[in-house]
């Protein structure tokens, strides 16, 4: 089995005015630090190249498209791929993808240690709303700007480890982890941009949000005997606070490393993937214990139906 030092490269705030080049320079600094500390995989947040633009109502799609990448590597990110290849470090990061067919996705890619993209994921669970909501303290228009992901939940064998990806809100849905757990996943990378306050329920503060982020990531790891790396874009973006709380979780659900700031911050853990085997062959030996004949409702029914 494989051991790997994994780095979570939390990013602090990215302002609307910050260029891709400025952000990539910050990502390169984290990459260099991670490599110097022995990491061979670096995980960046969701929408790592820009501010969390779904907080803004933009009626003009020409403006919306300025937040998207039409190719990857793009001009601005090519230095990141090239440096990662020089260092022999795999990377994973999220960005807004505009396809040649004109489709908009909230996307994440993963490379091998040669800087080659080996996996792509498009965010399935999109929170928020489509139309401008006057009741909200701020907007969350992911359902307006992105299509639901069309690639499903896949895994890839990367550097000997079965790896998968999810993005932000996906981490709150157990189906996300189980779809990859049923493929033998040993590491799931999850970038996120989570507002520190609730746009609809002002009483919900960041303590509760940090708790729910941990709860989601730790339960997903434990219930599928997999490592999980959750990495935030944190800090205050044009007056809008995002939580930090990046963590690396082991297959027993224990937190191995946690970010302490809301800035650019590296967290690292030495991950021994042999630790996945015990859970996968005992309590979460899916073949021995699951009873799929009773689970049909999970895929046949979308919302709640109350019949009692
Ligand atoms: N952000 C948030 C997330 O799931 C959210 C949206 C926050 C939903 C808190 C529910 C509660 O972390 C993104 N980008 O999905």
């Amino acid at each position: 089995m494989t051991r790997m030092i994994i780095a979570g490269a939390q990013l602090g705030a990215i302002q609307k005015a910050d260029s891709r080049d400025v952000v990539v320079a910050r990502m390169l600094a984290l990459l260099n630090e991670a490599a110097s500390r022995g990491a061979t995989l670096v995980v960046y947040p969701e929408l790592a190249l820009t501010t969390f633009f779904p907080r803004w109502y933009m009626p003009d799609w020409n403006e919306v498209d300025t937040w998207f990448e039409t190719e990857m590597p793009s001009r601005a990110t090519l230095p990141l791929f090239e440096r990662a290849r020089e260092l022999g470090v795999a990377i994973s990061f999220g960005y807004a993808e505009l396809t040649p067919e004109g489709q908009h996705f909230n996307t994440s890619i993963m490379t091998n240690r040669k800087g080659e993209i080996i996996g792509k994921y498009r965010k399935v669970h999109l929170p928020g709303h489509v139309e401008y909501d006057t009741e909200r303290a701020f907007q969350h228009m992911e359902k307006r700007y992105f299509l639901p992901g069309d690639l499903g939940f896949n895994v890839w064998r990367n550097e000997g480890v079965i790896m998968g990806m999810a993005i932000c809100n996906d981490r709150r849905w157990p189906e996300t982890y189980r779809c990859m757990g049923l493929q033998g996943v040993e590491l799931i990378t999850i970038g996120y941009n989570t507002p520190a306050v609730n746009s609809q329920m002002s009483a919900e503060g960041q303590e509760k949000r940090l708790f729910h982020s941990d709860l989601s990531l730790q339960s997903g790891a434990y219930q599928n005997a997999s490592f999980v790396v959750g990495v935030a874009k944190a800090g205050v973006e044009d007056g809008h606070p995002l939580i930090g709380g990046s963590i690396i979780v082991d297959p027993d659900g224990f937190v191995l490393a946690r970010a302490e700031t809301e800035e650019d911050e590296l967290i690292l853990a030495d991950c021994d993937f042999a630790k996945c085997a015990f859970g996968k062959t005992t309590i979460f030996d899916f073949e021995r214990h699951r009873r799929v004949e009773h689970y049909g409702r999970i895929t046949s029914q979308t919302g709640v139906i109350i019949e009692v």
Side-chain angles (χ1 to χ4, degrees):
M1 282 303 281
T2 307
R3 283 182 75 131
M4 188 182 287
I5 294 179
I6 294 178
Q10 175 177 287
L11 288 173
I14 299 176
Q15 309 307 327
K16 276 184 94 170
D18 289 339
S19 69
R20 305 287 203 282
D21 293 333
V22 163
V23 175
V24 168
R26 289 167 53 186
M27 296 172 77
L28 280 166
L30 289 163
L31 174 64
N32 287 326
E33 180 189 349
S36 72
R37 294 168 67 180
T40 54
L41 171 63
V42 177
V43 182
Y44 295 99
E46 170 190 30
L47 296 176
L49 305 178
T50 66
T51 195
F52 184 70
F53 63 86
R55 70 166 65 90
W56 303 112
Y57 173 57
M58 294 173 277
D60 176 1
W61 273 91
N62 291 319
E63 180 185 0
V64 174
D65 285 352
T66 64
W67 299 108
F68 285 74
E69 314 300 327
T70 55
E71 58 185 356
M72 192 52 68
S74 56
R75 178 203 60 76
T77 58
L78 188 58
L80 187 67
F81 285 82
E82 289 175 340
R83 183 61 176 153
R85 187 181 67 249
E86 285 168 16
L87 293 168
V89 175
I91 60 175
S92 174
F93 65 87
Y95 65 97
E97 177 193 13
L98 175 55
T99 72
E101 298 75 28
Q103 295 180 306
H104 298 74
F105 294 105
N106 188 339
T107 295
S108 180
I109 56 95
M110 179 180 287
T111 76
N112 58 23
R113 293 178 63 183
K114 293 180 284 191
E116 299 159 339
I117 295 177
I118 55 109
K120 174 184 280 190
Y121 169 72
R122 291 167 173 163
K123 186 175 182 179
V124 167
H125 299 97
L126 297 171
H129 49 102
V130 175
E131 301 303 332
Y132 186 83
D133 185 342
T134 58
E135 298 302 306
R136 287 175 182 256
F138 53 89
Q139 306 301 300
H140 194 122
M141 307 191 90
E142 291 194 62
K143 291 185 191 294
R144 183 184 184 89
Y145 298 138
F146 302 120
L147 288 173
D150 59 353
L151 302 175
F153 298 103
N154 300 302
V155 298
W156 300 270
R157 193 176 289 275
N158 192 14
E159 308 301 325
V161 177
I162 300 175
M163 299 186 185
M165 291 180 276
I167 300 175
C168 202
N169 196 255
D170 289 323
R171 75 188 188 281
R172 302 178 191 279
W173 302 93
E175 296 89 340
T176 299
Y177 304 89
R178 186 49 50 87
C179 284
M180 290 185 272
L182 286 164
Q183 300 174 75
V185 77
E186 297 163 319
L187 172 69
I188 301 173
T189 68
I190 308 180
Y192 60 88
N193 289 208
T194 299
V197 294
N198 186 315
S199 64
Q200 295 170 294
M201 187 181 80
S202 58
E204 183 183 11
Q206 76 168 357
E207 296 70 25
K208 188 172 180 181
R209 297 224 146 174
L210 285 164
F211 169 69
H212 285 161
S213 187
D214 286 355
L215 180 66
S216 301
L217 294 167
Q218 288 179 264
S219 56
Y222 166 64
Q223 291 168 352
N224 295 278
S226 175
F227 286 88
V228 171
V229 185
V231 183
K233 168 122 72 57
V236 180
E237 295 191 331
D238 298 286
H240 296 274
L242 297 170
I243 67 169
S246 304
I247 55 174
I248 300 175
V249 187
D250 79 4
D252 287 318
F254 291 108
V255 176
L256 300 176
R258 182 187 297 276
E260 299 302 325
T261 73
E262 293 182 353
E263 308 294 331
D264 293 6
E265 179 180 349
L266 213 55
I267 58 173
L268 293 106
D270 183 349
C271 299
D272 179 356
F273 289 93
K275 285 186 68 174
C276 298
F278 184 75
K280 291 182 188 294
T281 57
T282 56
I283 186 169
F284 294 114
D285 180 340
F286 295 158
E287 181 64 34
R288 282 176 57 214
H289 298 305
R290 295 183 71 241
R291 304 302 317 174
V292 294
E293 65 270 23
H294 297 297
Y295 301 163
R297 201 180 296 279
I298 289 176
T299 59
S300 64
Q301 183 179 319
T302 302
V304 171
I305 299 173
I306 296 176
E307 294 170 329
V308 293

